[in-house]
Amino acid sequence: MTATFEYEILVVGGGHAGVEAALVGARRGHSVGLLTIRREDVGAMSCNPAIGGSAKGQVVREIDALGGEMAQVIDATGIQFRMLNLSKGPAVWAPRAQADRELYRQETLRRVESQPNLRLHEELVEELIVENGQIVGVATESLAFFRSETVIIAAGTFLRGLIHIGEERFPGGRIGERHAEKLSISLQGLGFRHGRMKTGTPPRVRKGSIDFSQMEVQKGDVPPPRFSFSTVQITQPQICCYTSYTNETTHRILLDNLHRTAMYAGRTQAVGARYCPSVEDKVVRFRDKPKHQIILEPEGLDNDLMYVNGFSTSMPKEIQDRAIRTIPGYANAEIIRYGYAIEYDFIPPIQLTPGLETRVVKNLFLCGQINGTSGYEEAAGQGIVAGINAVQRLRGEDFFIPDRSESYIGVMIDDLVTKNIDEPYRLFTSRAEYRLRLRQDNADLRLTRYGHDYGLINDERYEALQMKEAEIGRVRNQLDHITVSPESVNPVLSELESSHLRSKCALSDVARRPEVGMSGVKRMGYFCNLSEDVEFQVNLALKYEGYIARQDQEIGRYRQLEQKRIPDGFDYDQVKGLSTEGRMKMKAIQPASIGQAGRISGVTPADISVLLISLKNRKRKMIRNN
Amino acid sequence: MKFEIEFDAIAAISTSPGVGAISIVRLSGADALKIADRIFKARIKPSSMKSHTIRFGSVISDQETIVDQVLLTVMRAPSTFTGEDTVEINCHGGQVAARLILKNLIHNGARAAEPGEFTKRAFLNGKLDLTQAEAIDDLIHARTDSAGLLAVKQLAGHLSKYVHNLRQGLLEIASRIELAIDFSEEELDPYNPEQIISLLTETKRAIQLIIGNIERGRIIKEGASVVICGKENVGKSSIFNALLTKKRAIVSSIPGTTRDVIEDSVNISGVPLRLFDAAGIRQNTDNEIEDEGISRSRRAVQEADLVLFVLDQSQNIDREERELYQYVKGYPHMVVCNKIDLISSGAHVLPIEPDVVFVSVSALTGQGIDDLTQAIAQWIARNDPHFFDRAIAGNFRQETCLQQALESIRLSICSLREGNPPELAAVDVQAAIRSLGEVIGVVSHEDVLNSIFEKFCIGK
């Protein structure tokens, strides 16, 4: 050993998960070491130069409410912001932004390097050192030993990463970078089961080689919507994206060359995501579709590269060239970086507790793509939770386990530790049962208190939030208690083309009319000083009232089941009458509660009944024995 | 997945269908007393009653009308069969009153119990011997209680097949909605609420059809209820007896002899008919007992599958009969003209609805009774030659779930018509999918996503 370092928290990997985790630990005053292969790659966007989107945008807002980094970084470096789904209801609005890839990376690195208690090391981790079932540190390729009470692994796609471009294949964690082979072997040696997944990325083309006149222009929103609750203004200049379509010629070239890809030639068994297919997959699976949309996204303000969204491929380079040039506007396209597929090891996350700690090795946490997820936002969401829980472990306090009814992060983590993830996991709003509650606009109301509890949100921000919350409640309540008469409001109702009142009624009844809302109420002379933010929340409370009340009832039932805890190390073999499948699944997943057990596929309501009996008897026996 | 053991109240009719002086409706669960409070009117609320005491009172509907006069027993946990708070309601015999009370309970927050569920709860609450693990296992996995008949099982198979298909259809609709929400950035079929409304409307019709077919199944299994009604002394009881071909009702010429609803069953072309001989539905009498009988007759008419409205052709039609017919004609009915052995009064000016079957009989001589039997048989089959093929076996719980699904779909259609955004309609569509899933016992959150990935080209 040439050197020994000692930390309280060690984070392996400087991607979106690792950065959030490391910053949490350091901000709470613990010494944190962040190990990454190359310093310049901290905060790198391996694939799409964009943050947010449906469900993902909500996650970024949640990370912000918890005191994380991603929202602030994208606000500082975003070059096109849009709110998706504006034509639908506010419950499913989602912010999305194009990032300047280079600025994003620099900004992330700057924040990491200026963070007290946090030190960056360029190291390739090769081995996890475990004593008595507990992690004590890691050894690296440079023969350094890092001692640490807790270790968080956020290795992304680097574990035995293998890149495919046509018939070519070579090891790598990302194009042009090394992979982490020995770390994967070390994990397996410790008893972790692993699986193999794949993902892909499209080619990058030179901006000057593109004819934009043949494409539709897609602009950002004005003013640009922000991700962070504390961002005042978006300052980067804003740019456009460009849309065009593939055609029959493109498809023929791809179909003729399927046998030249690793996937179709059977050179890999790794599982890809159905929602993120390569362009060749799209053409094969949907042969009837005459064209597929391609969006050209700038990689940055001064960047000469553009990202060909929708054209993910692992075709040989010459086929990529030929196929892309059939698309209008791409006739002379020069591919600077070819698309590729990458397959990598992941650790099926049912081996984790809901706090993201591994069951096999104590004080070892896994987060991000190593857990079989895809997406920067999903990774960052896990990163912040892993960071918080490493701190909780150091302090001997209870884990933070976000709940399905409170955040998308909670939905994701529960899915990860409960379901057998067999394709790269991405969040969708439809994964959330309580979607009407989990909105981008109220992430602060949902989560700031946790951010404050775990020391990541300062008192000032928390107090402001509490005041806002109280104000919303007060206004909503008063609306029911203020009675308005026809004489007093009919003139305003006329202006708003809303039907006249015939008799007195509560102000809330008037406010509930879509054409009136809180802006109409203000015109009637009530709540004139209401802030925009509070007005929005009150409008929503009125609009969704019935539905939200119903969801709240369901949430009540859900929490009851979550509160029925199953003790650690519960012996399922002692329980008679469980179905074989149910028993096997529960033994593997070790659900923390009856609610979680019920979400395991293959566990039947009858299994749950039997389990309840058994838990009750156990309790009775314990009382008797005492 | 649904397993609200220990939380929700379950209810069922605990006496077996058939003739009996009383029926018992049982309610068990943490909310049992709260629910009982909502439907029981007496000097003292069930929730204030002492454990293991019984009270006389009325079960009232939401419209505050009296459903039945009953004896209600309160038994508090843990000294009950199930180990939970339990309420037992002793009501008047036969299925009519009991079914009405059960419906009322469900309307007020109880859930129709699964077969064997009371026993299951007794297990769960440690009231029964737990050492016999195998026995518990068998019981918990049992799907039907007594109805182990092969025929019933086959019919039940039909139901699950239909419901499975319906659920698939709804999943596809849900996936269209979710597609619009989660994949709005993809250039896919644009979100079209009109199209979704029309798909939902189709599903709604299909569920209604299934509910109708379950109704047929219920008639085959449990029989149809046929209520004989008419002014007093037109010979209702004689017709009742003639159909039963045995003396059952007390026949006398004193008006108002039949003071209660008398029930018996008879088999007509393979279908059991439950015949009810209802007291004359007159307005107020001076006799309190008879008044009670009359109000029960009205209910019997309301709940009947078929009403036989009996006239005495030897007498003139009077105002009372006309009024009575006004009441009856709102329900499925036939007109039976009795006493054709006597001389006709020649004054049958009753405005009978078109398409209503009219049969002339003499209960005394038996003339025309065969015609009546045949008319009833034809009516049972709804003049539908495929009546027996279409019938589906479904229990009350399944029917309730289907009704819930229907209601959810109705709500989602309303919501879309009002121009609400798709995520709101999605809440109701998801609820309908869950309700259908409960009928057949499948639940999965992944289904909608899988359906999206199969049907649409997603991903850039």
Side-chain angles (χ1 to χ4, degrees), chain B residues 38-249:
Chain B
R38 291 185 202 131
I39 65 142
F40 185 65
K41 209 166 193 175
R43 260 181 243 129
I44 179 169
K45 280 182 171 182
S47 59
S48 312
M49 284 166 63
K50 277 191 192 145
S51 188
H52 294 78
T53 58
I54 192 160
R55 280 274 168 182
F56 177 75
S58 306
V59 170
I60 48 160
S61 72
D62 289 355
Q63 291 80 37
E64 296 282 312
T65 59
I66 294 175
V67 175
D68 198 11
Q69 296 195 309
V70 302
L71 287 168
L72 181 141
T73 314
V74 165
M75 289 164 281
R76 291 174 189 275
S79 307
T80 63
F81 173 65
T82 57
E84 303 170 329
D85 284 349
T86 301
V87 173
E88 284 186 1
I89 301 171
N90 293 16
C91 60
H92 283 91
Q95 291 285 297
V96 178
R99 275 185 92 92
L100 277 173
I101 292 171
L102 180 57
K103 269 191 186 165
N104 214 2
L105 287 171
I106 286 166
H107 200 238
N108 280 284
R111 174 168 66 73
E114 308 257 4
E117 199 172 4
F118 285 99
T119 320
K120 182 166 139 189
R121 288 201 175 190
F123 277 124
L124 295 181
N125 289 307
K127 300 299 287 185
L128 294 180
D129 187 2
L130 288 165
T131 56
Q132 300 162 336
E134 286 78 10
I136 300 167
D137 193 46
D138 282 349
L139 200 117
I140 287 172
H141 289 91
R143 292 223 158 174
T144 56
D145 43 4
S146 59
L149 299 165
L150 183 67
V152 174
K153 276 190 184 158
Q154 281 173 339
L155 291 171
H158 285 166
L159 176 65
S160 80
K161 191 180 73 194
Y162 289 131
V163 174
H164 176 81
N165 290 342
L166 274 178
R167 185 168 174 276
Q168 282 314 111
L170 264 186
L171 282 173
E172 253 185 77
I173 298 173
S175 73
R176 279 177 192 277
I177 298 175
E178 297 305 332
L179 191 70
I181 296 169
D182 269 334
F183 302 95
S184 59
E185 288 297 281
E186 316 265 342
E187 25 81 60
L188 297 153
D189 306 350
Y191 168 62
N192 178 353
E194 285 307 317
Q195 180 199 26
I196 290 172
I197 289 173
S198 81
L199 289 170
L200 285 169
T201 310
E202 268 175 45
T203 311
K204 190 173 113 187
R205 282 201 203 103
I207 294 178
Q208 279 164 336
L209 208 67
I210 289 189
I211 292 174
N213 290 343
I214 289 181
E215 181 70 19
R216 290 160 196 243
R218 189 173 64 77
I219 286 175
I220 292 173
K221 209 173 135 204
E222 291 179 18
S225 65
V226 177
V227 167
I228 303 173
C229 109
K231 199 174 75 161
E232 71 274 21
N233 215 23
V234 293
K236 298 185 294 292
S237 299
S238 310
I239 290 177
F240 182 83
N241 289 336
L243 286 170
L244 289 177
T245 62
K246 63 180 176 192
K247 286 237 183 314
R248 171 70 160 73

Side-chain angles (χ1 to χ4, degrees), chain B residues 181-324:
Chain B
I181 296 169
D182 269 334
F183 302 95
S184 59
E185 288 297 281
E186 316 265 342
E187 25 81 60
L188 297 153
D189 306 350
Y191 168 62
N192 178 353
E194 285 307 317
Q195 180 199 26
I196 290 172
I197 289 173
S198 81
L199 289 170
L200 285 169
T201 310
E202 268 175 45
T203 311
K204 190 173 113 187
R205 282 201 203 103
I207 294 178
Q208 279 164 336
L209 208 67
I210 289 189
I211 292 174
N213 290 343
I214 289 181
E215 181 70 19
R216 290 160 196 243
R218 189 173 64 77
I219 286 175
I220 292 173
K221 209 173 135 204
E222 291 179 18
S225 65
V226 177
V227 167
I228 303 173
C229 109
K231 199 174 75 161
E232 71 274 21
N233 215 23
V234 293
K236 298 185 294 292
S237 299
S238 310
I239 290 177
F240 182 83
N241 289 336
L243 286 170
L244 289 177
T245 62
K246 63 180 176 192
K247 286 237 183 314
R248 171 70 160 73
I250 314 148
V251 185
S252 87
S253 57
I254 308 159
T257 308
T258 307
R259 284 177 175 156
D260 206 343
V261 178
I262 294 179
E263 182 180 337
D264 209 336
S265 47
V266 61
N267 194 309
I268 293 183
S269 62
V271 173
L273 286 194
R274 281 173 293 116
L275 286 180
F276 297 88
D277 180 3
I281 306 181
R282 283 190 307 176
Q283 300 303 322
N284 303 315
T285 62
D286 297 334
N287 186 328
E288 213 175 291
I289 300 176
E290 199 180 318
D291 267 358
E292 171 56 25
I294 288 168
S295 83
R296 218 170 295 144
S297 298
R298 280 180 180 253
R299 279 199 316 277
V301 168
Q302 284 166 21
E303 279 291 297
D305 291 311
L306 177 66
V307 178
L308 300 183
F309 183 70
V310 183
L311 293 172
D312 179 348
Q313 66 107 38
S314 68
Q315 303 289 321
N316 288 341
I317 303 278
D318 61 15
R319 204 178 116 242
E320 187 194 333
E321 255 172 330
R322 256 182 230 119
E323 279 173 8
L324 193 55

Side-chain angles (χ1 to χ4, degrees), chain A residues 98-131:
Chain A
Q98 296 295 141
D100 181 308
R101 185 191 296 281
E102 198 46 31
L103 291 178
Y104 190 98
R105 187 188 65 72
Q106 286 167 7
E107 177 64 19
T108 307
L109 183 63
R110 187 188 66 75
R111 286 168 182 251
V112 166
E113 293 193 322
S114 61
Q115 176 64 46
N117 305 327
L118 172 57
R119 187 172 158 197
L120 192 63
H121 297 263
E122 282 195 342
E123 294 282 358
L124 178 62
V125 173
E126 295 200 324
E127 198 179 352
L128 302 175
I129 316 292
V130 175
E131 283 171 12

Side-chain angles (χ1 to χ4, degrees), chain A residues 398-441:
Chain A
D398 286 346
F399 279 165
F400 170 48
I401 297 172
D403 156 329
R404 296 187 78 89
S405 65
E406 272 178 344
S407 65
Y408 276 100
I409 296 177
V411 170
M412 167 175 64
I413 291 179
D414 183 64
D415 280 349
L416 292 178
V417 302
T418 306
K419 295 178 179 165
N420 230 339
I421 303 300
D422 54 6
E423 71 177 318
Y425 178 95
R426 201 205 117 160
L427 270 170
F428 298 104
T429 70
S430 54
R431 293 198 195 270
E433 299 85 342
Y434 316 112
R435 175 163 66 189
L436 298 184
R437 273 244 172 257
L438 306 188
R439 305 188 304 264
Q440 58 87 27
D441 62 78

Side-chain angles (χ1 to χ4, degrees), chain A residues 65-87:
Chain A
L66 286 171
E69 220 56 21
M70 182 170 260
Q72 291 182 19
V73 176
I74 183 64
D75 280 350
T77 62
I79 52 177
Q80 187 204 63
F81 290 80
R82 285 188 304 144
M83 188 63 87
L84 306 187
N85 272 340
L86 277 178
S87 65

Side-chain angles (χ1 to χ4, degrees), chain B residues 316-378:
Chain B
N316 288 341
I317 303 278
D318 61 15
R319 204 178 116 242
E320 187 194 333
E321 255 172 330
R322 256 182 230 119
E323 279 173 8
L324 193 55
Y325 187 69
Q326 281 302 315
Y327 182 76
V328 167
K329 79 176 188 190
Y331 302 92
H333 69 282
M334 284 181 196
V335 176
V336 181
C337 200
N338 192 17
K339 304 195 188 176
I340 51 170
D341 50 312
L342 300 180
I343 295 157
S344 166
S345 72
H348 284 111
V349 275
L350 190 68
I352 292 175
E353 298 285 294
D355 302 332
V356 165
V357 176
F358 186 97
V359 190
S360 297
V361 300
S362 166
L364 191 70
T365 65
Q367 191 188 344
I369 292 293
D370 284 349
D371 295 343
L372 178 58
T373 317
Q374 207 154 30
I376 295 174
Q378 268 173 17

